[in-house]
Amino acid sequence: MAARPALANHKGDVVVLFGDTPLLKPATIAATQAALTQSDVVAVGFEARDPSGYGRILRDARGQVVAIREHEDATEAESTVRFCNSGVMGFRSAHVLEILDAIGSANTKAEFYLTDAVTIARKKGLSVGSVSTDETETQGVNDRAQLAAVEADYQARKRAEIMAGGTTLIAPETVFFSCDTEVGQDVVIEPFVVFGPGVTVGNNVIIRAFTHIVGADRKVTTGAKIAEGVELGPFSRLRPGAEVGKGVHVGNFVEVKNAVLEAGAKVNHLTYIGDARVGAGANIGAGTITCNYDGFNKHHTDIGAGAFIGSNSALVAPVKIGDGAIIGAGTVVTKDVAADALALTRAPQEERPGWAAKFRTMMARRKK
Amino acid sequence: MAARPALANHKGDVVVLFGDTPLLKPATIAATQAALTQSDVVAVGFEARDPSGYGRILRDARGQVVAIREHEDATEAESTVRFCNSGVMGFRSAHVLEILDAIGSANTKAEFYLTDAVTIARKKGLSVGSVSTDETETQGVNDRAQLAAVEADYQARKRAEIMAGGTTLIAPETVFFSCDTEVGQDVVIEPFVVFGPGVTVGNNVIIRAFTHIVGADRKVTTGAKIAEGVELGPFSRLRPGAEVGKGVHVGNFVEVKNAVLEAGAKVNHLTYIGDARVGAGANIGAGTITCNYDGFNKHHTDIGAGAFIGSNSALVAPVKIGDGAIIGAGTVVTKDVAADALALTRAPQEERPGWAAKFRTMMARRKK
Amino acid sequence: MAARPALANHKGDVVVLFGDTPLLKPATIAATQAALTQSDVVAVGFEARDPSGYGRILRDARGQVVAIREHEDATEAESTVRFCNSGVMGFRSAHVLEILDAIGSANTKAEFYLTDAVTIARKKGLSVGSVSTDETETQGVNDRAQLAAVEADYQARKRAEIMAGGTTLIAPETVFFSCDTEVGQDVVIEPFVVFGPGVTVGNNVIIRAFTHIVGADRKVTTGAKIAEGVELGPFSRLRPGAEVGKGVHVGNFVEVKNAVLEAGAKVNHLTYIGDARVGAGANIGAGTITCNYDGFNKHHTDIGAGAFIGSNSALVAPVKIGDGAIIGAGTVVTKDVAADALALTRAPQEERPGWAAKFRTMMARRKK
């Protein structure tokens, strides 16, 4: 009745859903609407493995619902009925308000029972049909343990779909998908992989263990796109806005955020790529950091096609590395680098002969 | 009898426990002690799902234990008894030694059976009561597979407690707790998280996948404390002595050991913070390393409130960065830095135009 | 019949196996061969938990196989038989071709049924014996979900073997082995560990969570060897050709590839060691990178015994660090370093007093 203003102006069907049954499938709602073309009211039930405790949906010989009987009120014969009430109901809007208005709270709990709608509709000479769904769809969540159980059921369903779609999961029970995860053909996913929202994976991709991919969040809605032939992980993390081109390799202890990695780029070790473009075929050495944040704003790093970034380099954004440029190991790049140039920042290597031996002797003495 | 010297001087109750039943709850031991206020001897039993193979605890009409009957010696009627012997027994210390002394080894295995205590006590006119516990509590461990099974049962129990306490576990079966892990309200824990001993987690914390937290070990007993509103992971590792203040973010591929991160500090990427303080609101850039070890001793790094450490910096301890100081990317800090100062070590950026193109030509020729 | 040329020249036994039953054990094949010393043809069966749908192996009083009866053709009496056909068959090569030649396709599916071999052999007066195997061995794989199920069964078998062999698995269901993984005594493996092919683990090793070890691939066949007393992880990755000596520690966010770590070496944090030797007792600081790749070739890094590599160093290969040498933090080593020397590349630390405060004021103004 809280929705009376909305219902008053509504012309189409009304389906009553519950906030605590997240596994209900769109197909079941569609079936309820379809049944409303035949009946004024529709009750959605399921064949219970064990009906104890559930309200039974009682039907006559023609399949019309005559009542929903609470477990404690059921006769012995009614108790043998396994078709149970999910709670979900459909109404033609023409009748919904008059039926809801007729529901009273004159019962021991002083609550308004939606199930009374069946008897009320029947008294008004309206037809009450039913739709059958799977028991798992109707599971209600009352606490965190039940939420976890429902999540587990959903994951099992999604994993089965993903495998049927042509993806190899070495250990399906260790891979967690979002409802919108899309995975291509002939993809292999190792154990221990987590997909957050907004991830699309192309064909022939390999995702190794301990990979964590979130494509979208409240700020970024473009998602993460992983193109054909990409190799990810182990220990890769992709964050919102990662666009990983054809044949790219992203390796261990690498984080990619809001960045485009163009075809064939390699970012294999201990690297942070944020707010950047990595050109086609570029090679990013181990330990490279795009320094995208100055404490106030985020800045962009542009790395040209075929560039080679030496290990342990820091690229201080905003900065542009030209196509084919080479950055020496350990360089802090603060100015743009021309295409095909070598750039480096390096103090000369000093050596102090015997210093280490003397240091050890001194430290050993101190310890005594 | 190996404990005779201890028992001889002992005044209170004696409860006999077994080293191979790690799931026995303190409440069961307390119940045994409570039962000793009514009985001279107490046998702890459990209702077995399948009693085959277990000794049965036989009780008379008043509930007094009359015997513990081995499975192979049980009559047909006795075999239907499902109340089985866990092995745990309680004794009032006044009688314990005289009962134990009376146990002989005149049986086929020439072993001393503690269960003989029941018949002996009865013969002496003593009362023998019983306490009932859950079958899972009494599981014994004989090999590593059984140890793993017992651990799995314990983890299931702990996860259920943690969820009932107000923490969301997306996939409970993938989160491993220690028996002393404490978790606050409205915490969310993603899949694949491991808690070692000594970890306390405050309210409203998010712990993302692939996070490993050990609070205490043989050397460090202060534990790891994670305050309200903290975000950890994915791929975070906290080690003993980590104290993570309110609203702190610890991100991917970050290790924190024996360090205090004050409120609002951010350590988001590829960083090692060891033996350090990170002041409130400080921002630690990607790839920062506190160089705490000189090969002989560990030294402390102190980072002031609001400091900004540029990416890929090395802070050579002992060293102090003042409040609000900024460290340029790629800097090796070997001297203290004043508050609000900028510090950096940087060779000028050299550029050699065309060098990369020539290098590639040369390498391509060599390959031929 | 596709193998006719091979069979025509073959003298020994012939065992027909199927490409979709990966769990069949070598022992079952050996048992089939052993049975061929008594019989001309051997059918391999299993006692089915639920025989519905399977062909039954019908045997006479002497144990001779008289027929393999398809489920739909079985009489009521035959349907009670639980000994079912796995499909695997053995033949003495003397008879194999004449039997196979006699198999026709005059059936509703117009297929050649290998099971017809039994009746044909019997008609020829040959003896047909049987061998019994476990049902799980004979599982066939028709899709990716069944492949995952078979993998799960295999992993359960391997984990049980590993635990029986003296290794503690905290959570066996979260550890994935290869069929060739060898693990020593008194090893402890935490949850979430993945072993690829070619890994050998010595005694008293600790492998912490989130460790990924692949010993061999198409290029490298030497495997990964982990010696006694090693500690790995959490978050370690070992790749092909890693040889980890006695008592070595490899810590978090560390990758080791084609490298020898000699006894007692420590590589504890955020490091990439590739194509290298790390001498006995050497200590590799956090954030160290061996720069092994110049864009064209891989080069070797040699680190002497007892050397100390300061944090955030880059070792540009080919390069040699002498025994006992010390490398200062943040150094880029491009020339060999003598034993017991100190080497470093470092620009002087500049400080600009008050610069950070001014910068913040300026940025704050801009934001307005």
Side-chain angles (χ1 to χ4, degrees):
Chain A
M1 297 312 294
R4 177 187 289 278
L7 291 174
N9 298 315
H10 181 67
K11 290 281 177 283
D13 299 325
V14 174
V15 181
V16 182
L17 305 176
F18 296 83
D20 66 349
T21 56
L23 294 193
L24 199 78
K25 289 186 182 172
T28 301
I29 301 172
T32 305
Q33 283 201 271
L36 285 172
T37 62
Q38 307 295 324
S39 303
D40 299 297
V41 175
V42 170
V44 178
F46 58 95
E47 293 290 329
R49 280 179 294 262
D50 171 10
S52 326
Y54 289 115
R56 309 302 202 281
I57 298 181
L58 304 178
R59 289 172 295 187
D60 64 18
R62 292 175 307 122
Q64 284 286 300
V65 177
V66 295
I68 296 178
R69 185 81 77 240
E70 290 311 307
H71 181 72
E72 48 278 13
D73 302 332
T75 65
E76 209 167 309
E78 288 167 355
S79 289
T80 65
V81 171
R82 287 177 54 238
F83 190 56
C84 293
N85 179 33
S86 73
V88 175
M89 291 190 81
F91 298 89
R92 289 187 189 164
S93 55
H95 307 294
V96 64
L97 280 178
E98 58 173 307
I99 293 174
L100 294 182
D101 279 332
I103 296 179
S105 63
N107 52 50
T108 49
K109 291 196 181 166
E111 289 183 353
F112 295 85
Y113 291 120
L114 184 63
T115 50
D116 288 354
V118 171
T119 331
I120 292 163
R122 297 280 295 187
K123 276 185 193 153
K124 289 181 187 294
L126 299 172
S127 58
V128 184
S130 67
V131 157
S132 183
T133 183
D134 188 75
E135 185 167 2
T136 57
E137 276 190 50
T138 69
Q139 287 178 82
V141 172
N142 296 303
D143 59 27
R144 285 167 161 93
Q146 289 178 355
L147 182 61
V150 160
E151 176 73 30
D153 276 354
Y154 176 73
Q155 290 293 340
R157 186 205 285 181
K158 181 79 180 179
R159 289 164 190 150
E161 280 171 26
I162 293 273
M163 287 191 285
T167 288
T168 297
L169 304 180
I170 307 292
E173 75 280 9
T174 68
V175 180
F176 290 84
F177 294 101
S178 280
C179 56
D180 64 352
T181 310
E182 291 178 23
V183 184
Q185 294 275 321
D186 294 318
V187 168
V188 175
I189 303 180
E190 284 195 356
F192 311 126
V193 172
V194 175
F195 292 89
V199 181
T200 308
V201 179
N203 296 335
N204 298 303
V205 166
I206 296 175
I207 302 180
R208 296 205 179 79
F210 311 122
T211 291
H212 192 277
I213 312 177
V214 175
D217 59 16
R218 264 169 296 176
K219 291 186 208 159
V220 180
T221 55
T222 48
K225 288 172 200 69
I226 298 159
E228 202 180 334
V230 164
E231 297 191 19
L232 296 181
F235 306 106
S236 293
R237 183 189 186 194
L238 302 190
R239 293 173 54 198
E243 200 177 322
V244 183
K246 211 169 157 178
V248 162
H249 291 195
V250 177
N252 44 209
F253 319 124
V254 173
E255 173 187 0
V256 176
K257 185 213 90 171
N258 185 30
V260 178
L261 310 185
E262 294 180 353
K266 292 195 177 137
V267 190
N268 278 333
H269 334 255
L270 292 156
T271 287
Y272 171 55
I273 299 290
D275 302 312
R277 175 185 77 103
V278 177
N283 190 308
I284 309 299
T288 297
I289 307 287
T290 54
C291 310
N292 58 328
Y293 186 52
D294 61 11
F296 292 88
N297 298 300
K298 304 273 169 154
H299 302 284
H300 193 261
T301 299
D302 190 88
I303 299 172
F308 182 93
I309 310 298
S311 297
N312 252 354
S313 293
L315 313 178
V316 182
V319 75
K320 190 168 161 33
I321 314 290
D323 290 354
I326 295 180
I327 306 300
T331 294
V332 178
V333 179
T334 51
K335 294 184 291 192
D336 289 354
V337 177
D340 291 328
L342 167 71
L344 74 174
T345 57
R346 196 171 293 166
Q349 183 172 334
E350 291 175 59
E351 186 159 329
R352 301 183 195 162
W355 190 97
K358 275 179 239 157
F359 175 73
R360 270 193 298 275
T361 307
M362 182 185 76
M363 295 307 284
R365 262 187 212 141
R366 276 197 203 168
K367 285 228 159 174
K368 280 178 195 166
Chain B
M1 298 312 294
R4 177 187 289 279
L7 292 173
N9 299 315
H10 180 67
K11 289 281 176 282
D13 299 324
V14 174
V15 181
V16 182
L17 305 177
F18 295 83
D20 66 350
T21 56
L23 294 192
L24 199 77
K25 289 186 184 173
T28 301
I29 301 173
T32 306
Q33 282 201 271
L36 284 171
T37 62
Q38 307 294 325
S39 303
D40 300 297
V41 174
V42 170
V44 178
F46 60 95
E47 293 290 327
R49 280 178 294 262
D50 171 10
S52 324
Y54 289 115
R56 310 301 203 281
I57 297 181
L58 304 178
R59 288 173 294 187
D60 62 19
R62 292 173 309 121
Q64 284 287 300
V65 176
V66 295
I68 296 178
R69 185 82 76 237
E70 290 311 307
H71 181 72
E72 47 277 15
D73 302 334
T75 65
E76 209 167 310
E78 288 167 355
S79 289
T80 65
V81 171
R82 288 177 54 237
F83 190 57
C84 293
N85 179 33
S86 74
V88 175
M89 291 190 81
F91 298 90
R92 290 187 189 164
S93 56
H95 307 294
V96 64
L97 280 178
E98 58 173 308
I99 293 174
L100 294 182
D101 279 334
I103 296 178
S105 63
N107 52 48
T108 48
K109 290 197 183 166
E111 290 184 354
F112 296 85
Y113 292 119
L114 184 62
T115 50
D116 288 355
V118 171
T119 331
I120 292 164
R122 298 280 296 188
K123 276 187 192 153
K124 288 180 187 293
L126 300 172
S127 59
V128 184
S130 67
V131 157
S132 184
T133 183
D134 188 76
E135 185 167 2
T136 57
E137 277 189 49
T138 68
Q139 287 178 80
V141 172
N142 296 304
D143 60 26
R144 284 168 161 95
Q146 290 178 354
L147 182 60
V150 160
E151 177 73 31
D153 276 355
Y154 176 74
Q155 291 293 340
R157 185 206 286 181
K158 180 80 180 180
R159 290 165 189 148
E161 280 171 26
I162 293 273
M163 288 191 283
T167 288
T168 297
L169 304 180
I170 307 292
E173 76 280 7
T174 67
V175 180
F176 290 85
F177 294 101
S178 279
C179 57
D180 64 351
T181 310
E182 291 178 23
V183 184
Q185 295 273 322
D186 294 319
V187 169
V188 176
I189 303 180
E190 284 193 358
F192 312 126
V193 172
V194 176
F195 292 89
V199 180
T200 308
V201 178
N203 296 334
N204 298 303
V205 166
I206 297 174
I207 303 180
R208 296 205 178 80
F210 311 121
T211 291
H212 192 276
I213 311 177
V214 175
D217 59 16
R218 264 169 297 177
K219 291 185 210 158
V220 180
T221 56
T222 48
K225 288 174 199 68
I226 298 159
E228 202 179 335
V230 164
E231 297 190 20
L232 296 181
F235 306 106
S236 294
R237 183 190 186 192
L238 302 190
R239 292 172 55 197
E243 200 177 321
V244 182
K246 212 169 157 175
V248 162
H249 291 195
V250 178
N252 43 210
F253 320 124
V254 173
E255 174 186 0
V256 177
K257 185 212 90 170
N258 186 31
V260 177
L261 310 184
E262 295 180 353
K266 290 193 177 139
V267 191
N268 278 333
H269 332 255
L270 292 156
T271 287
Y272 172 56
I273 299 291
D275 302 312
R277 174 185 79 103
V278 176
N283 190 306
I284 309 299
T288 298
I289 307 286
T290 54
C291 310
N292 59 328
Y293 185 51
D294 61 11
F296 293 89
N297 298 301
K298 304 274 170 156
H299 302 284
H300 194 261
T301 299
D302 189 89
I303 299 172
F308 183 92
I309 310 298
S311 297
N312 252 355
S313 294
L315 311 179
V316 183
V319 75
K320 190 170 162 29
I321 313 290
D323 289 355
I326 295 180
I327 307 299
T331 294
V332 179
V333 180
T334 52
K335 295 183 291 190
D336 289 355
V337 176
D340 291 327
L342 165 72
L344 74 172
T345 57
R346 197 171 293 167
Q349 183 172 333
E350 291 176 59
E351 187 160 327
R352 301 183 195 162
W355 189 97
K358 275 178 241 158
F359 176 72
R360 269 194 299 276
T361 308
M362 182 185 77
M363 295 307 284
R365 263 188 212 142
R366 275 197 203 167
K367 284 230 161 174
K368 281 178 194 166
Chain C
M1 297 312 294
R4 177 188 290 277
L7 292 173
N9 298 314
H10 180 67
K11 289 281 176 285
D13 299 324
V14 173
V15 180
V16 182
L17 305 177
F18 295 84
D20 66 350
T21 55
L23 295 193
L24 198 77
K25 289 185 182 173
T28 302
I29 301 172
T32 306
Q33 283 201 270
L36 285 172
T37 61
Q38 307 293 325
S39 303
D40 299 298
V41 174
V42 170
V44 178
F46 59 94
E47 292 290 328
R49 281 178 293 262
D50 171 10
S52 324
Y54 288 116
R56 310 302 203 279
I57 297 181
L58 305 178
R59 289 172 294 187
D60 63 19
R62 291 175 308 122
Q64 283 287 299
V65 176
V66 294
I68 295 178
R69 185 81 75 237
E70 290 310 308
H71 180 71
E72 48 277 14
D73 302 333
T75 66
E76 207 167 310
E78 287 167 355
S79 288
T80 65
V81 171
R82 289 177 52 236
F83 190 57
C84 293
N85 179 33
S86 73
V88 175
M89 291 189 81
F91 298 89
R92 290 188 189 164
S93 56
H95 307 294
V96 64
L97 280 178
E98 58 173 307
I99 293 174
L100 294 182
D101 279 334
I103 296 179
S105 63
N107 52 51
T108 48
K109 291 197 181 165
E111 290 184 353
F112 295 86
Y113 291 121
L114 184 63
T115 50
D116 289 354
V118 171
T119 332
I120 293 164
R122 297 281 295 187
K123 277 186 192 153
K124 289 182 186 293
L126 299 173
S127 59
V128 184
S130 67
V131 157
S132 184
T133 183
D134 188 76
E135 185 168 2
T136 57
E137 276 189 49
T138 69
Q139 287 178 80
V141 172
N142 296 304
D143 59 26
R144 284 169 161 94
Q146 289 178 354
L147 182 61
V150 160
E151 176 72 31
D153 276 354
Y154 177 74
Q155 290 293 340
R157 185 206 284 182
K158 181 78 179 182
R159 290 164 189 149
E161 279 172 25
I162 293 273
M163 287 192 283
T167 288
T168 298
L169 304 180
I170 308 292
E173 75 281 8
T174 67
V175 180
F176 290 83
F177 294 100
S178 280
C179 57
D180 64 352
T181 311
E182 290 178 24
V183 184
Q185 295 274 319
D186 293 319
V187 169
V188 175
I189 303 180
E190 285 194 356
F192 311 126
V193 172
V194 176
F195 292 88
V199 181
T200 308
V201 179
N203 296 334
N204 298 304
V205 166
I206 297 174
I207 302 180
R208 297 206 177 78
F210 310 121
T211 291
H212 192 279
I213 312 176
V214 175
D217 59 15
R218 264 169 296 177
K219 290 185 210 159
V220 180
T221 55
T222 48
K225 287 173 201 69
I226 298 159
E228 201 179 335
V230 164
E231 297 190 20
L232 296 181
F235 306 105
S236 294
R237 183 190 187 194
L238 302 191
R239 292 172 55 198
E243 200 177 322
V244 182
K246 211 169 157 176
V248 162
H249 291 195
V250 177
N252 43 209
F253 319 124
V254 173
E255 174 187 0
V256 177
K257 185 213 91 170
N258 185 31
V260 178
L261 309 185
E262 295 181 353
K266 290 192 177 141
V267 190
N268 278 333
H269 333 256
L270 292 156
T271 288
Y272 172 55
I273 299 290
D275 303 311
R277 175 185 78 102
V278 177
N283 189 309
I284 309 298
T288 298
I289 308 287
T290 54
C291 311
N292 59 327
Y293 185 51
D294 61 11
F296 292 88
N297 298 300
K298 304 274 170 156
H299 302 285
H300 193 262
T301 299
D302 189 88
I303 299 172
F308 182 92
I309 310 298
S311 297
N312 252 354
S313 294
L315 312 179
V316 183
V319 74
K320 191 169 159 32
I321 313 291
D323 289 355
I326 295 180
I327 306 299
T331 294
V332 179
V333 180
T334 51
K335 295 183 291 191
D336 289 356
V337 176
D340 291 328
L342 167 72
L344 73 173
T345 56
R346 195 172 294 167
Q349 183 173 333
E350 291 176 61
E351 186 159 328
R352 302 182 195 164
W355 189 97
K358 275 179 241 158
F359 175 73
R360 270 194 298 276
T361 308
M362 181 185 77
M363 295 307 285
R365 263 189 212 142
R366 277 198 202 168
K367 285 229 159 176
K368 280 180 195 165

